[in-house]
Amino acid sequence: MNQCVKQSGFSLPEALIAALLFSVSLLGLIQYHQALSDSFQRQWQIRQAWTLAQQRLDEYASEGSNQSQLILPVSKGARAWQLSLSDSTADSGCRAVTALVETPDQYKASLTRWMC
């Protein structure tokens, strides 16, 4: 009365190959997510740099500051945001005021405004 029962299912090599494919796919998705996250961070920093440069020029115009060079760390740390504001006078009496913002990723945004 010994009957051979046929079992169905996955064998160990099949299960290991499936686990390997799943791991490789998951690793690829994690790397894609990291690259996407880094790109969003860089884009945010670029947008913030242009906004900060515009705000500093607006403040300079409203205050009428006479400082020729101003360098301020916007945040603390080894890789801080840097902001420099400089002005130069032209022959016509107008001033060219330049705001330069450098992000922690070394992106530079520079805006110049003529004030007469």
Side-chain angles (χ1 to χ4, degrees), residues 21-39:
L21 290 176
F22 178 73
S23 299
V24 169
S25 300
L26 188 60
L27 193 62
L29 286 175
I30 289 172
Q31 288 179 347
Y32 173 72
H33 180 267
Q34 183 64 40
L36 194 61
S37 178
D38 291 345
S39 296

Side-chain angles (χ1 to χ4, degrees), residues 41-115:
Q41 178 69 21
R42 180 162 170 73
Q43 183 181 14
W44 177 84
Q45 283 185 4
I46 290 170
R47 207 172 326 139
Q48 286 298 108
W50 287 107
T51 302
L52 185 60
Q54 181 66 39
Q55 287 174 348
R56 287 301 288 164
L57 283 177
D58 290 343
E59 290 172 9
Y60 186 92
S62 66
E63 293 173 1
S65 177
N66 291 324
Q67 292 178 327
S68 61
Q69 182 73 14
L70 176 66
I71 300 175
L72 297 172
V74 180
S75 64
K76 299 195 185 297
R79 295 174 52 182
W81 289 68
Q82 293 291 320
L83 172 81
S84 63
L85 192 64
S86 61
D87 65 349
S88 58
T89 305
D91 293 335
S92 63
C94 295
R95 292 184 302 174
V97 181
T98 302
L100 176 67
V101 179
E102 185 176 347
T103 68
D105 290 336
Q106 282 74 42
Y107 178 81
K108 293 181 182 179
S110 177
L111 286 178
T112 301
R113 183 184 293 176
W114 285 92
M115 298 182 189

